Amino acid sequence: MKRASRHYSALSLLRARLSGAGFWRPLWTGNRLEQAYDVVVVGAGGHGLATAYHLAKDHGIKRVAVLEKRLVGYGNVGRNTTIVRSNYLLPENHYFYEDALRRYEGLGRELNYNIMYSPRGVVDLALSDDDFPVLARRGNALRLAGIDAELMDRAALEKFVPALAPRRRRRFPIVGALVQHRGGTVRHDAVAWGYARAASALGVDIIEDCEVTGLHTTGNSATAVQTSQGEVQAGAVVFATAGHTGLVGKMLGVPLPIETHLLQAMVTEPVKPLLDTVLVYVAPGHAESYISQSDRGGMVLGGHIDGFPSYTREGAWHRLEDVVRATVEVLPQLGQLRLLRHWAGTNDMTMDGSPIIDRVKYDNVFLNAGWCYGGFKAIPASGAACASFVAKGTPPDLIRAYCLSRFATGHLLDEPGYGPYPVKL
Amino acid sequence: MACPFCGLRPLEEFLFRKTVPNVGAGSGVHLGAGAGVDAGDSASAYAQVYLRVDSAEHSVEEWQHVAGCRAWLLIDRNPSTGVVRSVALLGGAQ
Amino acid sequence: MVPGVRYGTRLKDGPVRFTFDGRIYEGRQGDTAASALLANGVVWFGRSVKSRRLRGVMTAGPEEPCALLTVGEYPNVVPNVPATECVLHDGMVLRSQNRWPSLAFDLASLLQWGGGLFTAGFYYKTFFLPGWRTFEPLIRRLAGLGLAPGPEAADSAVNHPPAEEHLSCDLLVVGAGPAGLAAARVAARSGLQVVVVEREAAIGGETEFEESVIDSQAAHHWLKAAISSAAARVRQGSRNPRRVPRAEPGSVRVLLQSTAVALSSDSVVAYREGHEATNFRIHARQVLNAVGAQEQPLVFVGNDLPGVQMLGGVERFAALYGWVPKGPVVLFGNHDRLYASALRLRGQGARVVAVVDTRSFNVASSHVRDDPAADEWRRAACSLLEAVGVQCLTGSTVRVARGGCRLRSVEVVAAAGTALARIIRCESLLMSGGWLPRRALPVGTVVGAAAGALDLAAAVASGHAGGVAALQQSGLLAAATELPVAPLATGDPSPRVEPYLRSPCALHEEKRQYLDLQNDVTVADLRVAIAEGFTHIEHAKRYTTLGIGTDQGRWGGSAGAAILADLQGLPPAAANTSRDRPPLVSVSLQAIAGWRVGDSFRLVRRTPLHDWHVAHGGNPEPMGLWFRPRFYAANGQDAATAAVVEAQRVRQIGGIADCSTLGKLEIAGPDAAKFLDEIYLPRPSTLAVGRSRYAVQLREDGMVLDDGLVLRVAEDRFLATTSSGHGLHVLSHLEHHRAHRAGLRVSIADVTDCWAVIALAGRTVADVLQALLGRDPRELSPMAFWDWRGPVQGVGVAGQGAQRLRVLRAGFSGELSFELHCSPALALPLWEALLAGGLEPYGLDALDILRVEKGYLTTSEITGQVTPLDLGMETMVAKAGPCIGLELLQRPAFHELQRPRLVGLRAADGQSSFLAGSQLTVGPDDRMPVGYVTSSVFSAQLGETVALAFAARDVAPLGTVLWARDPLRGRDVQVRVVTPVHFDPAGERLRGRY
């Protein structure tokens, strides 16, 4: 018998104070693996949990299990730099990510879990006059689609981000930026835990320490998954195993256009507020840094992938140095701050940089993968769209372009123009 | 990473390009079986360019020693530990 | 000993004056902020983050979680400096952190009276309306520790970057304590090159304040001698910017104030910050981690009160800085060292009143049974202490530390229950809950205290054994040789630690049993975490924020994991602790950034004419890694006006431009032509020697990778140009293809920096060039070139030695044009000769105007997202043979109507301007774009804005009217599709017909 977690509110804090620690209940329950489910979701990260939640909430499919090899939220959802935005160039992407951003705006209330959506702005820095046409192309596409974007010159940028001091002499001068004000940050753990709690409350089973090792099939359909806790029958299977999708491909015997790469992030010691926005810096010579300040005060820094396949979740030090150099180039005053720790996630990098939500090989097996750098910011839209796909059998318009066949047909969604290489060559 | 010409050099001197399918490694995967693609000449080019076969222990990769002799190398690595099993010249050419 | 004067091994003569929170204090040279302020009677040093509780000094090392100060005046502040590490100098300005308006009275500390409302994770459960953003600014101001430096902060990193030193050695020893130095000593004496990295400013570790003896010498002296004897040589970290020093065999080099933090590609990365800052990369054949062990706290009610300190820390203060606590002192712990410390502290003048030992000692207990000698020692120590009035309470524990803002008394009970509670008045409680190994590098072996050898004898033996093992590994010790004898050491006895989970307490008191002093995480918070289902340590840490502060859980993190297991009824072995990741200790960002900051952040590439541009108002700007002149100041005060002037001059008279940044690759060999045919369209093999052709190369997926010229220099030699900045990328592309075509005999070289390129364009340039060469360059047919051998007027003789010159009839402007490719040494003389002939320079922006007028492409159009078909190169593709990219170009998407096509645009009204980056739509309010503008310039020649753009094929026919939408910059302009070749479509000027 599941006991739902308590409803949260300021009043509930007061009641807990009066009752004691026993007042609270586990966020998610249902750790007993049943024999059969309508849908088995593999991976209790953001996308898996959101998909399970929407299956139950939007489509009334409650016999759902989310099977997780390690712990809820232990994967990339808990390792990213918490940035959310929808300022992508291509319409197939910006409408999708905008759907996610709009959902993030109300997600805290919807899940009754404070996800700390902070629309503090995402600032894509321009480093020469030649950058403006490229940024403008993106910004204008966004504005036509009804998504907010602002092109700032140096003077406006100086007012918006005082810590930046754009007129300072730099190797690559900062001349302006493309800004999305509604973008910003969200507390990543809260998203995973919030969805897990809400899904569990709707009847979804969340099973940790349960690794899916194989798939049982008959003809063109999957019938069951083989797990470390036994065989589980499934009406449909959704793989949301970012960072291990390549291995899923191996399990299914299907090569995929995905390479698994490592993405580092790091945080400094906490200081009083100094940066109230997200800075994105991409400079010649493969220099990049994403800089924001967490609500606890630490500067959260990240860059691009290390550049070679890795499952180690431990980044190469020379890549970390590169990101730190880029950071200090943008905000030299950060030089005095101390790096406390760094960590890494394992990313599915697709051969065009955009995700894959599609059937794979069997008519009831779905892949929700290939998120590259855009996994965290996509979670709410991905969950809703993927659930709809699984429940109805056809992909909703929003994700139609994320099909697996696009690589063969040429309908690529290559935002930066790097081609079939996750690494910028 | 040990370059056949230059010896053991720091990792940052090398640039990774792509993984290549484990030909003959018994991975149990048939290439060219990408979803919805017509077989034919383009199937092999498509597979070569786009498809990857990921393995957590075994990865055969193309790297270039860009900050050194610029040789192209075929490297057999374990991506879960980073240990390099073997390094060969790509294509066996000079 | 003079009363009132402190004696400490780190103190020197001479006072130091400094301010703390606006008050002036005096200390001694060598004092840290902590020791000087403690000596001045200061008790409060800061406030914690969450509940803003007052904090004192807890430890005496870099892992200090409480006494964090801000040094300096805004904007040049350094926040979060542990007072225990902050060596004072005269005039230093220090401030406590995280309090307002003052340390003594902090407004936000009133939040503490919210009591149990603000348990762990409370913020996930509220702040729903109106939204997080409403509360966030206040929460952020309350969070964080010190104030960050301001943007005006002096660029110390840029002006004084650290030195960088690469060194190799046979053995790297991390830590210069007794174990580390014992290892270094035996290794060096047998011939290994040893490098020792030590975080402190002095060697010796704990022997600095223990009375210890090694081989009949005072330990400290033995250690110094061990590494400086005749057989070994010591060089204390000398400043050695980027030179690789050669260590002699059998030497020891000690790097003080340096911390090993991580591995980078098999090298150990170590940093020395501050004075003589250096980044070390140490390539070591073997590594020994002698990093020591971290003293652990005990968990009891009120263990965060100012006045509660770590015992080892206070011993350090006493020995190094001559400070012992005033007032009554109680010691509390679970090992034998308590007694040695009590005796020592008493000897240094501390008023020790009690020693509380959680272990029981009856005849049947394991402590007595297993080690009667140790127990004998303990009992002797107890007798000595009791004789001078110190209570020795065994089997007891401190249950509560009491006091409002500082410690006043402790409640001691029997360890097994609450019977026999007694109150002992005191002002200091020094606790020690045993030791856990410090973080070590993930390579090599661990020796010394870090391997569990907690007394001097064991540590020295362990270090020595490690050194011997290293020798054996290196083959320097033949099997038959006798192993070097380990030194005999005596010091404090082995402590016989008995793990103690936490003191008993009632449920409502658990919120004052602290596990994290910065984020105020208590045992009560762990209970909440468990109740909410966060039972795994990874979850519990994230949920409660245990261990995420500046000390990263070094104080209390392990205790927290053990208690988390215990609260769930799990055995302590089940306490899963998280993985150690680098950096082993925190490092400043400026240390990590190293010297590659400021102008050294990225490679700077300059053309041979750079200085000329600078001297003549060219003001070169960064374009990628290159520096190039956009315009020349003499022609206008900004880019827009000057570029128009320069472009017009080219169209009317002529001009020269520096195009040396073009990438250039030389491809040679018997199979060069065959090789290039697989890469470039059209096929270079059909080029005659002495001719060139515009060519594109495709990426494997069919997109255009780059474009440029291919020159056939000889039957088996070609020169290919690439877009500026793409040289290396294309080079790799070619080399990669060659690797896949084993058997083809072709060599490829990057000659970008071997050739300067000067472009000449305009009706008068041929005459000027003729005067220099003595031959009319119009004899060259378009796209042909000469390898010039012979004199060049006013310049020199080309074709001799290193002086090379090629005269190519090609250009990027649509005028009669030539490109002079010459050796870099010839560039300036040639340039000046051309200027003398009456030509004037034009910059990048003018070049852009000229090329857009003619529909020539740059990376603005070739974005990596377009196919050759999109660019109108159908014929080139149709005629191509097997070549990279052609197969995948056949994919259906590339032949659809929505696919973009290169077009030219002009304003429908013939005068409005519109910018690159505008999106194209059919109707003025359409949401879905059908294309976008890639390049847009004002053409003085045509009197209006002309542009290049991509438009979907079904709207690309000439004459179509579209809207160029630019909401970002507030303009929507109606435009008409025209040919991309806006000016002189017949190409008359190119042929020299004016």
Side-chain angles (χ1 to χ4, degrees):
Chain A
M1 231 295 270
K2 280 205 207 183
R3 287 172 70 236
S5 150
R6 298 274 186 188
H7 181 83
Y8 290 150
S9 64
L11 190 63
S12 72
L13 289 180
L14 194 57
R15 290 178 59 197
R17 171 76 181 87
L18 300 170
S19 317
F23 176 77
W24 302 119
R25 296 197 199 123
L27 261 63
W28 58 87
T29 50
N31 329 21
R32 229 193 45 210
L33 189 60
E34 305 286 333
Q35 285 221 323
Y37 290 94
D38 290 331
V39 182
V40 165
V41 176
V42 183
H47 295 264
L49 291 169
T51 302
Y53 166 73
H54 280 283
L55 279 169
K57 174 158 172 293
D58 298 343
H59 306 280
I61 302 175
K62 304 202 174 178
R63 278 207 328 161
V64 178
V66 182
L67 305 182
E68 165 56 46
K69 185 167 80 171
R70 301 281 303 271
L71 297 173
V72 164
Y74 192 66
N76 292 348
V77 67
R79 293 163 194 268
N80 54 71
T81 50
T82 77
I83 299 171
V84 295
R85 58 185 176 87
S86 62
N87 54 359
Y88 283 75
L89 171 67
L90 303 172
E92 295 88 340
N93 281 331
H94 58 228
Y95 283 114
F96 173 79
Y97 281 99
E98 176 64 13
D99 183 69
L101 192 60
R102 293 228 184 99
R103 288 177 188 264
Y104 265 127
E105 281 170 5
L107 195 63
R109 279 191 294 280
E110 180 181 340
L111 300 179
N112 182 232
Y113 204 80
N114 183 17
I115 56 154
M116 301 180 206
Y117 167 63
S118 170
R120 53 181 75 167
V122 176
V123 176
D124 278 292
L125 295 171
L127 304 179
S128 84
D129 284 340
D130 290 340
D131 283 351
F132 281 120
V134 179
L135 291 175
R137 178 188 166 194
R138 181 150 58 100
N140 281 324
L142 292 168
R143 291 284 290 270
L144 289 188
I147 301 171
D148 70 304
E150 181 186 341
L151 199 63
M152 283 191 184
D153 61 11
R154 199 178 246 178
L157 189 56
E158 194 163 26
K159 274 180 55 186
F160 185 58
V161 192
L164 191 55
R167 275 182 291 161
R168 229 188 120 262
R169 192 186 130 80
R170 289 180 170 87
R171 172 68 179 83
F172 303 107
I174 294 176
V175 299
L178 181 70
V179 181
Q180 179 174 39
H181 290 283
R182 287 165 52 242
T185 61
V186 167
R187 175 67 63 90
H188 51 0
D189 288 328
V191 173
W193 298 340
Y195 271 115
R197 174 168 168 266
S200 180
L202 290 171
V204 171
D205 281 352
I206 299 177
I207 321 284
E208 294 171 308
D209 278 320
C210 182
E211 182 177 357
V212 170
T213 52
L215 197 66
H216 297 278
T217 60
T218 305
N220 213 25
S221 304
T223 52
V225 289
Q226 185 62 44
T227 77
S228 53
Q229 294 185 28
E231 186 181 306
V232 179
Q233 287 171 34
V237 181
V238 180
F239 284 99
T241 53
H244 294 83
T245 309
L247 306 182
V248 170
K250 191 160 168 223
M251 187 199 302
L252 298 174
V254 174
L256 296 169
I258 292 177
E259 248 175 35
T260 306
H261 280 258
L262 186 145
L263 183 62
Q264 291 190 49
M266 61 202 87
V267 69
T268 70
E269 58 192 356
V271 289
K272 291 298 180 198
L274 101 91
L275 183 68
D276 195 31
T277 186
V278 178
L279 297 177
V280 177
Y281 177 80
V282 179
H286 294 202
E288 73 282 327
S289 179
Y290 293 67
I291 310 170
S292 62
Q293 185 171 22
S294 80
D295 287 336
R296 292 194 189 118
M299 303 304 299
V300 179
L301 313 174
H304 289 169
I305 50 181
D306 264 19
F308 46 91
S310 177
Y311 289 89
T312 63
R313 283 183 168 166
E314 192 156 307
W317 192 257
H318 70 271
R319 282 291 297 137
L320 180 146
E321 287 175 334
D322 264 351
V323 173
V324 169
R325 284 184 198 121
T327 302
V328 167
E329 165 79 358
V330 178
L331 295 175
Q333 63 266 49
L334 297 189
Q336 294 288 8
L337 301 189
R338 307 188 75 78
L339 186 74
L340 282 190
R341 69 182 182 283
H342 82 126
W343 61 91
T346 328
N347 284 31
D348 288 349
M349 302 303 291
T350 59
M351 296 304 130
D352 68 353
S354 296
I356 297 171
I357 305 181
D358 199 0
R359 280 194 177 81
V360 57
K361 193 166 180 189
Y362 302 103
D363 60 13
N364 62 347
V365 175
F366 300 84
L367 201 61
N368 177 326
W371 290 99
C372 304
Y373 298 109
F376 181 67
K377 52 185 79 70
I379 288 172
S382 159
C386 189
S388 176
F389 194 171
V390 173
K392 298 190 178 153
T394 52
D397 285 341
L398 206 57
I399 59 167
R400 210 174 280 280
Y402 291 157
C403 54
L404 201 48
S405 60
R406 70 177 187 267
F407 300 94
T409 59
H411 292 95
L412 306 161
L413 303 171
D414 187 355
E415 297 251 336
Y418 294 169
Y421 302 106
V423 188
K424 177 168 197 235
L425 293 176
Chain B
M1 197 99 86
C3 170
F5 293 123
C6 310
L8 199 63
R9 306 296 307 167
L11 194 58
E12 50 258 50
E13 292 189 5
F14 299 82
L15 187 63
F16 165 87
R17 186 179 171 102
K18 67 192 288 276
T19 56
V20 292
N22 290 353
V23 184
S27 60
V29 176
H30 173 55
L31 273 186
V37 175
D38 279 326
D41 290 320
S42 53
S44 69
Y46 163 71
Q48 288 293 336
V49 172
Y50 283 103
L51 297 181
R52 306 285 189 271
V53 178
D54 245 20
S55 160
E57 290 90 31
H58 203 60
S59 185
V60 179
E61 304 165 356
E62 293 182 354
W63 289 71
Q64 184 180 27
H65 190 191
V66 287
C69 61
R70 298 194 68 85
W72 273 97
L73 309 169
L74 196 64
I75 297 199
D76 188 332
R77 268 174 77 239
N78 180 338
S80 297
T81 60
V83 170
V84 175
R85 280 197 196 89
S86 71
V87 178
L89 287 178
L90 184 62
Q94 286 298 326
Chain C
M1 283 193 16
V2 179
V5 175
R6 290 183 284 139
Y7 293 88
T9 58
R10 295 276 177 98
L11 293 180
K12 307 186 200 48
D13 282 331
V16 164
R17 277 210 163 74
F18 64 102
T19 62
F20 173 58
D21 278 353
R23 253 180 75 171
I24 299 178
Y25 291 90
E26 192 174 295
R28 291 263 299 279
Q29 293 283 346
D31 253 332
T32 60
S35 58
L37 287 169
L38 285 170
N40 275 279
V42 173
V43 173
W44 300 319
F45 285 71
R47 286 187 179 260
S48 64
V49 173
K50 184 171 151 194
S51 310
R52 313 279 272 213
R53 294 176 62 77
L54 280 166
R55 294 278 176 259
V57 178
M58 174 55 68
T59 69
E63 66 280 6
E64 172 62 30
C66 295
L68 301 176
L69 307 179
T70 296
V71 179
E73 301 271 17
Y74 191 84
N76 296 317
V77 290
V78 182
N80 306 342
V81 177
T84 52
E85 297 290 286
C86 178
V87 177
L88 293 174
H89 47 80
D90 226 40
M92 215 173 200
V93 176
L94 302 171
R95 284 201 180 80
S96 59
Q97 297 182 159
N98 204 35
R99 80 295 185 274
W100 184 85
S102 73
L103 186 56
F105 177 67
D106 173 63
L107 199 60
S109 68
L110 296 177
L111 284 171
Q112 285 173 54
W113 302 110
L117 272 183
F118 302 123
T119 52
F122 78 93
Y123 34 76
Y124 294 121
K125 302 175 174 121
T126 179
F127 299 123
F128 295 114
L129 293 167
W132 175 244
R133 192 75 173 144
T134 315
F135 302 96
E136 195 183 31
L138 177 63
I139 306 251
R140 297 188 79 196
R141 270 207 295 278
L142 290 174
L145 284 166
L147 196 62
E152 317 90 332
D155 287 6
S156 60
V158 175
N159 296 332
H160 307 287
E164 186 166 295
E165 188 171 339
H166 293 244
L167 39 142
S168 2
C169 59
D170 296 315
L171 176 65
L172 172 67
V173 178
V174 183
L181 292 181
R185 172 180 168 273
V186 69
R189 276 169 193 216
S190 301
L192 289 184
Q193 305 165 9
V194 183
V195 169
V196 182
V197 170
E198 168 55 51
R199 188 163 66 176
E200 294 271 346
I203 60 169
E206 306 267 294
T207 63
E208 270 197 280
F209 45 93
E210 247 180 64
E211 277 125 35
S212 14
V213 166
I214 306 181
D215 278 350
S216 318
Q217 277 184 285
H220 209 66
H221 290 143
W222 185 90
L223 290 171
K224 274 215 172 80
I227 52 175
S228 63
S229 68
R233 235 114 17 100
V234 169
R235 286 183 1 240
Q236 302 269 337
S238 51
R239 186 162 193 131
N240 220 343
R242 294 181 225 152
R243 275 205 310 131
V244 181
R246 271 204 267 130
E248 317 305 324
S251 67
V252 180
R253 182 173 170 203
V254 180
L255 304 173
L256 291 175
Q257 291 186 299
S258 312
T259 328
V261 299
L263 288 180
S264 179
S265 235
D266 288 345
S267 288
V268 172
V269 179
Y271 296 103
R272 175 190 297 142
E273 299 190 52
H275 182 57
E276 289 196 1
T278 312
N279 288 5
F280 296 101
R281 280 286 209 279
I282 306 169
H283 193 84
R285 287 204 185 77
Q286 298 185 70
V287 174
L288 281 180
N289 291 285
V291 291
Q294 182 91 47
E295 198 173 35
Q296 298 298 299
L298 288 156
V299 181
F300 49 91
V301 178
N303 62 344
D304 75 320
L305 273 177
V308 176
Q309 290 176 273
M310 303 301 292
L311 176 56
V314 171
E315 286 227 71
R316 245 177 99 84
F317 280 123
L320 272 49
Y321 304 104
W323 175 81
V324 290
K326 307 280 173 297
V329 176
V330 172
L331 271 58
F332 174 34
N334 56 355
H335 52 76
D336 281 335
R337 198 166 153 168
L338 279 182
Y339 303 96
S341 298
L343 289 166
R344 263 197 296 275
L345 287 170
R346 264 203 59 89
Q348 280 153 327
R351 188 150 61 103
V352 180
V353 298
V355 175
V356 180
D357 189 339
T358 59
R359 304 169 300 165
S360 321
F361 296 93
N362 46 49
V363 183
S365 90
S366 64
H367 302 291
V368 179
R369 245 187 304 123
D370 297 343
D371 202 340
D375 207 64
E376 190 49 50
W377 178 92
R378 185 194 60 81
R379 269 197 269 153
C382 278
S383 307
L384 279 174
L385 288 167
E386 273 160 359
V388 288
V390 179
Q391 299 181 62
C392 289
L393 305 165
T394 59
S396 305
T397 180
V398 170
R399 205 187 75 80
V400 185
R402 289 211 169 87
C405 298
R406 57 170 307 172
L407 183 63
R408 299 260 175 244
S409 65
V410 294
E411 179 191 310
V412 178
V413 302
T418 49
L420 300 170
R422 70 177 86 186
I423 311 288
I424 303 179
R425 290 174 52 89
C426 61
E427 281 174 26
S428 283
L429 175 65
L430 308 183
M431 61 173 168
S432 179
W435 294 265
L436 284 180
R438 288 210 179 89
R439 292 167 160 193
L441 291 171
V443 287
T445 46
V446 179
V447 297
L454 292 176
D455 61 281
L456 184 70
V460 167
S462 167
H464 180 91
V468 169
L471 285 169
Q472 285 171 323
Q473 184 79 332
S474 68
L476 273 181
L477 276 187
T481 320
E482 248 183 51
L483 297 177
V485 176
L488 263 176
T490 46
D492 280 1
S494 177
R496 300 188 299 162
V497 180
E498 181 179 88
Y500 187 67
L501 191 69
R502 64 176 172 130
S503 299
C505 90
L507 214 59
H508 71 274
E509 293 174 313
E510 281 181 346
K511 61 181 181 290
R512 291 193 293 135
Q513 287 193 325
Y514 283 83
L515 300 166
D516 184 312
L517 294 174
Q518 270 182 23
N519 296 310
D520 296 324
V521 179
T522 65
V523 174
D525 293 322
L526 290 184
R527 265 203 209 276
V528 174
I530 293 169
E532 296 229 289
F534 295 109
T535 52
H536 191 279
I537 185 65
E538 282 300 326
H539 273 161
K541 274 176 54 171
R542 282 167 183 261
Y543 184 73
T544 61
T545 74
L546 171 68
I548 69 164
T550 60
D551 64 317
Q552 288 290 288
R554 285 183 185 85
W555 188 100
S558 290
I563 294 172
L564 183 75
D566 180 67
L567 288 176
Q568 298 174 64
L570 298 169
N576 24 36
T577 45
S578 36
R579 218 168 84 181
D580 276 345
R581 275 201 202 83
L584 300 183
V585 293
S586 66
V587 187
S588 70
L589 295 187
Q590 76 185 26
I592 296 174
W595 60 271
R596 288 193 216 155
V597 292
D599 283 338
S600 304
F601 171 54
R602 276 298 181 267
L603 187 64
V604 169
R605 301 188 78 178
R606 300 193 179 114
T607 72
L609 298 170
H610 180 86
D611 291 341
W612 189 94
H613 298 314
V614 171
H616 292 85
N619 192 28
E621 281 179 35
M623 315 243 103
L625 297 178
W626 289 95
F627 276 79
R628 308 182 68 181
R630 296 195 82 109
F631 65 97
Y632 293 86
N635 299 316
Q637 46 185 346
D638 59 49
T641 34
V644 170
V645 168
E646 289 169 9
Q648 265 305 76
R649 187 180 298 127
V650 171
R651 291 262 181 250
Q652 283 164 358
I653 305 168
I656 52 175
D658 179 4
C659 295
S660 306
T661 60
L662 283 175
K664 303 157 208 88
L665 305 174
E666 205 169 272
I667 302 104
D671 298 320
K674 188 163 160 214
F675 173 72
L676 289 177
D677 277 356
E678 293 174 5
I679 296 184
Y680 281 98
L681 310 171
R683 310 214 314 262
S685 60
T686 59
L687 263 179
V689 175
R691 295 196 55 84
S692 72
R693 185 187 284 151
Y694 174 75
V696 299
Q697 53 176 290
L698 305 184
R699 205 166 48 199
E700 292 86 339
D701 62 349
M703 304 294 177
V704 178
L705 181 69
D706 196 46
D707 69 343
L709 294 181
V710 177
L711 285 69
R712 191 167 203 162
V713 180
E715 189 63 32
D716 61 353
R717 247 169 39 151
F718 294 81
L719 182 91
T721 70
T722 77
S723 307
S724 297
H726 281 201
L728 284 177
H729 181 179
V730 173
L731 176 65
S732 285
H733 184 79
L734 261 57
E735 289 166 330
H736 179 250
H737 186 66
R738 179 182 56 178
H740 276 285
R741 300 284 280 114
L744 281 188
R745 297 154 299 168
V746 56
S747 65
I748 310 168
D750 174 16
V751 296
T752 303
D753 296 322
C754 304
W755 293 98
V757 177
I758 298 173
L760 288 74
R763 67 166 54 124
T764 61
V765 302
D767 294 323
V768 174
L769 196 51
Q770 178 170 14
L772 292 184
L773 300 176
R775 189 172 168 191
D776 187 352
R778 278 164 288 212
E779 291 176 27
L780 282 167
S781 47
M783 305 306 279
F785 62 93
W786 288 324
D787 267 317
W788 189 256
R789 287 178 205 346
V792 181
Q793 183 80 326
V795 177
V797 183
Q800 271 186 7
Q803 317 262 66
R804 285 158 294 132
L805 177 64
R806 246 176 223 148
V807 182
L808 165 66
R809 184 166 170 179
F812 204 49
S813 57
E815 296 295 310
L816 172 65
S817 316
F818 300 89
E819 273 182 20
L820 301 178
H821 295 208
C822 66
S823 354
L826 280 184
L828 188 57
L830 202 49
W831 181 265
E832 286 178 329
L834 291 166
L835 292 170
L839 294 174
E840 294 197 44
Y842 60 101
L844 208 56
D845 281 11
L847 199 143
D848 206 43
I849 293 178
L850 297 169
R851 69 103 187 160
V852 172
E853 286 174 337
K854 292 296 294 180
Y856 293 143
L857 307 176
T858 63
T859 50
S860 302
E861 286 74 39
I862 301 179
T863 58
Q865 299 157 333
V866 296
T867 69
L869 307 172
D870 300 337
L871 295 171
M873 298 174 181
E874 285 90 349
T875 330
M876 231 191 264
V877 171
K879 286 206 223 156
C883 151
I884 296 177
L886 278 185
E887 271 193 75
L888 289 177
L889 190 54
Q890 309 308 318
R891 285 179 286 175
F894 301 144
H895 305 267
E896 287 173 354
L897 284 179
Q898 304 93 289
R899 195 68 205 169
R901 187 167 182 78
L902 182 72
V903 297
L905 292 177
R906 303 224 204 159
D909 65 0
Q911 63 182 40
S912 299
S913 75
F914 53 100
L915 298 168
S918 302
Q919 292 278 344
L920 300 174
T921 57
V922 175
D925 299 308
D926 285 2
R927 280 164 64 100
M928 206 55 170
V930 293
Y932 62 100
V933 181
T934 60
S935 313
S936 168
V937 297
F938 178 74
S939 164
Q941 189 72 18
L942 301 163
E944 58 172 323
T945 299
V946 299
L948 298 176
F950 284 110
R953 269 151 222 218
D954 49 0
V955 296
L958 295 176
T960 315
V961 174
L962 299 169
W963 281 89
R965 308 272 294 283
D966 196 353
L968 287 179
R969 292 167 288 198
R971 52 178 108 174
D972 289 350
V973 173
Q974 225 175 1
V975 293
R976 206 170 7 98
V977 174
V978 297
T979 166
V981 188
H982 294 280
F983 174 65
D984 183 20
E988 299 289 320
R989 293 196 172 205
L990 202 58
R991 284 185 259 277
R993 300 198 205 114
Y994 280 86

